[in-house]
Amino acid sequence: MTALLPPAELARAAALLRAGELVAFPTETVYGLGGDAGNGRAVAGIFAAKGRPHFNPLICHYPDATAAFADVVADARARALAARFWPGPLTLVLPRRPDCRVDLLTGAGLETLAVRVPDHPLALALLRQAGVPVAAPSANRSGGVSPTTAAHVLEGLSGRIAAVLDGGPCGVGVESTVLDLSGAAPLLLRPGGVTLEAIEAVLGPVARVLPTAGATPRSPGQLLSHYAPALPVRRHATAMAADEALLAFGPPLPGAAITWNLSETGDLAEAAARLFAGLRWLDAEGARRGCRGIAAMPVPETGLGLAINDRLARAAAPRR
């Protein structure tokens, strides 16, 4: 983790949020595009800056579980998960309280709200100083590859937002796990930085809801086509064409035009942290070299591999 910013810079960013402006900031997962979740104009500004459809809900970020549970109804399951994984890359979808401070647009008009407490010192300091719930999807244009550095944010949103706080590269590198606890049975809506195995160790069996074409999202991160570079992505590659860029995992396949290795040793945590940076680099360098697409080698469907494969599947899905 990087050191905190000078107090004056942090105070300015918090003041911008309270004034309804948009501020990008680092979390342990990816950089978020923050706005006051209780300010409908600020939330509308997030959708406009990203080009994000208004039916796709946003995640609200809080400095601690007490602040988060002031806006949603938390049962024993939610409190057990919060005690185990917050601060951390887990988002809980819970029923809104009648006195919820969050504008309905933030949750796309649903009776539920997605909440989390990020595990990054700069994010937590900003949330404490702002003193408001902060809606923050990934700080990139909608559907594109999520940003894991401040430079990535500026590539897509420069001129559209008020400020970017630079906290260095994100440590986890894929978005938070999204778990729906609004019903009797827990549902995994999006795999992410907290593994399914870790959640099941607390709750028992959890069913997974897969994204489907045309379905209205029940939470953030459920669109079928998402996290996509400009070049088409081919999954489960076992051989390469000379005009393809390779996203490798472990010993790389021969014959690629260019290669980005997620992890030469097959480490899933390293692979997750390098995924979005790799897709961005292969997209830019592959286009420069005339590559026709990106081929991704297989990644195990366990631990963080579930989240990596989820992002690759959406990157490879038919474009909207």
Side-chain angles (χ1 to χ4, degrees):
M1 295 292 183
T2 187
L4 293 180
L5 294 177
E9 189 171 345
L10 194 62
R12 174 178 175 272
L16 286 170
L17 285 173
R18 289 193 298 272
E21 301 290 343
L22 305 184
V23 176
F25 61 94
T27 75
E28 79 281 24
T29 58
V30 300
Y31 274 70
L33 177 56
D36 179 355
N39 181 333
R41 292 184 63 182
V43 175
I46 293 175
F47 284 103
K50 284 178 61 69
R52 182 184 178 102
H54 285 69
F55 59 77
N56 193 8
L58 306 178
I59 295 174
C60 282
H61 293 66
Y62 297 85
D64 52 52
T66 299
F69 293 158
D71 285 327
V72 292
V73 179
D75 59 14
R77 300 172 301 173
R79 295 186 184 280
L81 290 168
R84 173 66 180 84
F85 297 114
W86 282 356
L90 175 65
T91 293
L92 300 178
V93 176
L94 295 163
R96 292 172 58 103
R97 287 187 177 275
D99 58 349
C100 180
R101 297 167 290 172
V102 175
D103 192 89
L104 280 170
L105 180 59
T106 303
L110 300 174
E111 293 303 312
T112 56
L113 192 64
V115 298
R116 91 173 185 102
V117 179
D119 187 15
H120 193 290
L122 184 51
L124 291 173
L126 176 64
L127 292 167
R128 283 191 293 267
Q129 287 210 26
V132 295
V134 173
S138 58
N140 58 283
R141 296 288 286 168
S142 184
V145 181
S146 298
T148 53
T149 68
H152 293 162
V153 175
L154 292 172
E155 286 174 12
L157 296 179
S158 180
R160 294 174 174 266
I161 60 179
V164 180
L165 299 184
D166 189 348
C170 299
V172 175
V174 292
E175 291 84 357
S176 60
T177 302
V178 179
L179 188 70
D180 186 353
L181 295 179
S182 63
L187 300 175
L188 179 67
L189 301 184
R190 180 181 72 185
V194 172
T195 66
L196 176 60
E197 294 90 338
I199 292 171
E200 290 186 327
V202 177
L203 294 186
V206 174
R208 183 179 177 189
V209 177
L210 296 175
T212 56
T216 300
R218 297 163 58 179
S219 83
Q222 285 200 289
L223 294 181
L224 185 62
S225 176
H226 205 32
Y227 316 112
L231 290 176
V233 175
R234 177 171 70 90
R235 299 179 65 208
H236 308 303
T238 57
M240 295 298 301
D243 60 351
E244 285 186 305
L246 174 63
L247 186 69
F249 181 75
L253 297 170
I258 54 173
T259 298
W260 176 282
N261 205 320
L262 294 174
S263 174
E264 294 181 1
T265 62
D267 182 280
L268 288 171
E270 180 184 21
R274 289 173 54 80
L275 174 62
F276 288 140
L279 285 174
R280 284 174 174 271
W281 185 82
L282 290 173
D283 197 31
E285 188 65 14
R288 190 179 72 81
R289 298 196 187 193
C291 292
R292 63 179 170 90
I294 298 170
M297 289 176 61
V299 175
E301 192 83 359
T302 59
L304 283 171
L306 191 66
I308 295 169
N309 282 314
D310 172 81
R311 304 312 188 269
L312 289 174
R314 300 190 208 207
R319 306 299 169 89
R320 293 173 295 168

